[in-house]
Amino acid sequence: MVRLVCSILCVIGWMGLGIAVQAEGEAVGSQVTFSSVAEMNALAATESSVPLGLPPVPYPEDNPQTPEKIALGEKLFLDVRFSKTKDISCSTCHLVEKAFTDSPLKVSEGINGLTGTRNAPTVVNSVYATSLFWDGRSPSLEEQSQHPFVNPVEMGLKNHDPILQICRTDPEYVKQFKAVFGVSGKEITMEEVMKAIGAFERTVISGNSPFDRWFYAGEKEAMTEAQIRGYNLFVNEGRCVSCHVIEQTQAIFTDNKFHNIGVGINTIQADVPTLTREFLKAEATASEVDVKILTDARTSELGRFAITRTLNELGSFRTPTLRNIAATAPYMHDGSLATLRDVVVHYNNGGVTNEGDPVNDFLSGGIRPLNLSDAQIDDLVAFMEALTSPEHEAAAKAAQQ
């Protein structure tokens, strides 16, 4: 047993208060628990502000937040018993000390070391996403939370019955579900499990970066000269702001839309006609699509098309937030770009990783060579590093080593 003390910022979404604290936890294998998160949520339950730079947190009418529900959701998020091998939890791929990702892995590892096809998106600020997963196949945090449990390369359960069995018989869970939802025994269903996990994830928010202090609080020294030059490139020549949105009072750095930016789809261009025909003919169910996407690399590259069957969304993926992006390397849906500089170079080349490679036929409009100099590329990277919140600075430094 390893005892550790990790300095984190409590990112409390529904009450939206960032509080710097020392959170003590235990590490068991690859699992790390931070027992004070729920306590900090309860402490700030009456607050209504959000960290600098963020909009108000949206809450679903059918899942109101309570400190007890958040604590239950955190426990479910950390429970390794919900996997076939009893050693994988939600937090395995979304580690708090890695800005809720599994950096530096290109794609996530599930039971028995199995790997999927997708890079783990951060949970941080996912409350502002209008759809979840890289292809947007889930409409809410609650709905999304049920799928990894039964994916064969993630947590590997055949169905959700083992989860419900634990929740219905474990004394602590029995007490918590009764207190939070007023249910017990067979009245405990996946609906309650999903709502609790969603409530916890809704608290994981993070702002107050150097950019926020410079742009929204007027702290002229909060960003370096290189970062300020990078900001000007971001909103002008680089046109990054077209998809990674900055508003006058808030910035979530995503348009929550889907774009083909030339990653992944470029490698299967010759196979696209056959793949699309086969996929449309198969008429797969939503659960079958979920499995196929994570077990077949070529199907994964179809992106949003695999969900909507719309040809103009071939190879399109959801715009990720750029907040804390320096802490979550590698990048893109497949983890194929190792550094932020690689990402900027890809865009500078007009949607191809290697200059001179053919552009795919479905590339989103507006993506074209930027003709930025090396110095300008460095400035853009510096600006993105200024989007790191204080609680994720250590993760950012570790990710860039």
Side-chain angles (χ1 to χ4, degrees):
M1 188 75 68
V2 179
R3 296 294 297 176
L4 60 99
V5 175
C6 179
S7 179
I8 65 170
L9 182 74
C10 179
V11 280
I12 302 173
W14 69 280
M15 69 295 295
L17 179 66
I19 306 173
V21 295
Q22 292 286 335
E24 185 175 357
E26 290 188 359
V28 184
S30 63
Q31 304 302 313
V32 180
T33 66
F34 292 85
S35 60
S36 61
V37 171
E39 295 173 7
M40 291 184 290
N41 285 337
L43 179 66
T46 60
E47 300 293 337
S48 59
S49 63
V50 293
L52 183 65
L54 296 182
V57 175
Y59 309 111
E61 292 184 1
D62 65 346
N63 192 22
Q65 300 283 94
T66 68
E68 295 79 12
K69 187 185 293 182
I70 294 165
L72 173 58
E74 181 190 17
K75 183 175 180 179
L76 294 165
F77 189 87
L78 295 165
D79 202 325
V80 296
R81 294 177 294 173
F82 298 160
S83 63
K84 181 179 180 180
T85 53
K86 303 294 188 290
D87 61 356
I88 302 292
S89 73
C90 303
S91 66
T92 301
C93 299
H94 302 285
L95 291 157
V96 64
E97 67 269 29
K98 295 185 176 183
F100 283 87
T101 70
D102 54 9
S103 174
L105 297 180
K106 291 179 64 175
V107 296
S108 295
E109 293 182 0
I111 59 169
N112 300 317
L114 295 173
T115 57
T117 59
R118 300 275 170 90
N119 180 263
T122 181
V123 176
V124 180
N125 294 332
S126 60
V127 65
Y128 299 113
T130 55
S131 62
L132 283 303
F133 291 116
W134 281 99
D135 48 33
R137 62 187 183 275
S138 283
S140 69
L141 291 172
E142 286 80 4
E143 204 278 340
Q144 180 278 330
S145 68
Q146 66 181 310
H147 297 294
F149 297 124
V150 293
N151 193 292
V153 299
E154 292 186 272
M155 298 168 82
L157 297 179
K158 290 184 178 180
N159 53 51
H160 295 113
D161 290 348
I163 298 173
L164 296 178
Q165 177 66 18
I166 293 170
C167 292
R168 292 167 179 171
T169 58
D170 179 280
E172 287 299 314
Y173 276 135
V174 169
K175 185 185 304 181
Q176 287 179 285
F177 274 95
K178 187 66 175 178
V180 173
F181 295 106
V183 296
S184 60
K186 290 188 177 180
E187 295 173 327
I188 300 173
T189 67
M190 282 303 295
E191 181 178 359
E192 289 76 36
V193 172
M194 292 156 57
K195 284 184 174 180
I197 294 174
F200 168 67
E201 292 181 334
R202 207 162 270 114
T203 69
V204 184
I205 65 173
S206 180
N208 197 35
S209 68
F211 163 77
D212 296 308
R213 298 196 299 276
W214 177 78
F215 191 80
Y216 295 116
E219 295 182 21
K220 295 181 179 180
E221 304 302 320
M223 291 210 303
T224 67
E225 291 184 4
Q227 290 168 340
I228 293 171
R229 291 195 303 269
Y231 164 76
N232 288 323
L233 288 165
F234 190 92
V235 299
N236 293 303
E237 295 102 306
R239 294 177 288 107
C240 315
V241 75
S242 298
C243 300
H244 298 284
V245 180
I246 299 173
E247 299 179 69
Q248 287 303 307
T249 59
Q250 62 198 39
I252 59 174
F253 286 93
T254 175
D255 59 2
N256 276 314
K257 296 179 181 179
F258 301 85
H259 305 281
N260 178 326
I261 59 171
V263 173
I265 190 72
N266 287 3
T267 64
I268 63 163
Q269 288 191 68
D271 299 328
V272 165
T274 300
L275 283 172
T276 53
R277 283 196 300 269
E278 290 177 349
F279 200 89
L280 292 171
K281 184 178 179 180
E283 296 183 350
T285 65
S287 59
E288 289 170 339
V289 169
D290 185 71
V291 172
K292 187 73 170 175
I293 285 169
L294 280 189
T295 56
D296 183 79
R298 296 196 310 162
T299 299
S300 175
E301 304 302 1
L302 296 177
R304 182 71 172 162
F305 167 82
I307 311 305
T308 64
R309 274 69 164 180
T310 303
L311 289 174
N312 64 5
E313 294 192 292
L314 269 168
S316 293
F317 293 89
R318 184 169 60 86
T319 305
T321 179
L322 294 185
R323 285 193 174 273
N324 301 298
I325 193 71
T328 62
Y331 304 106
M332 303 303 182
H333 69 277
D334 56 359
S336 60
L337 299 182
T339 68
L340 286 174
R341 197 173 211 287
D342 292 339
V343 172
V344 178
V345 167
H346 175 88
Y347 284 107
N348 199 41
N349 291 339
V352 293
T353 302
N354 299 307
E355 190 174 6
D357 283 354
V359 174
N360 81 83
D361 295 334
F362 303 94
L363 192 71
S364 291
I367 295 181
R368 58 183 183 273
L370 300 175
N371 301 313
L372 301 178
S373 67
D374 284 344
Q376 288 176 312
I377 291 173
D378 289 340
D379 288 343
L380 261 179
V381 170
F383 171 67
M384 287 189 282
E385 291 171 346
L387 305 181
T388 305
S389 301
E391 65 272 30
H392 298 303
E393 287 178 354
K397 290 178 181 178
Q400 303 306 315
Q401 289 178 353

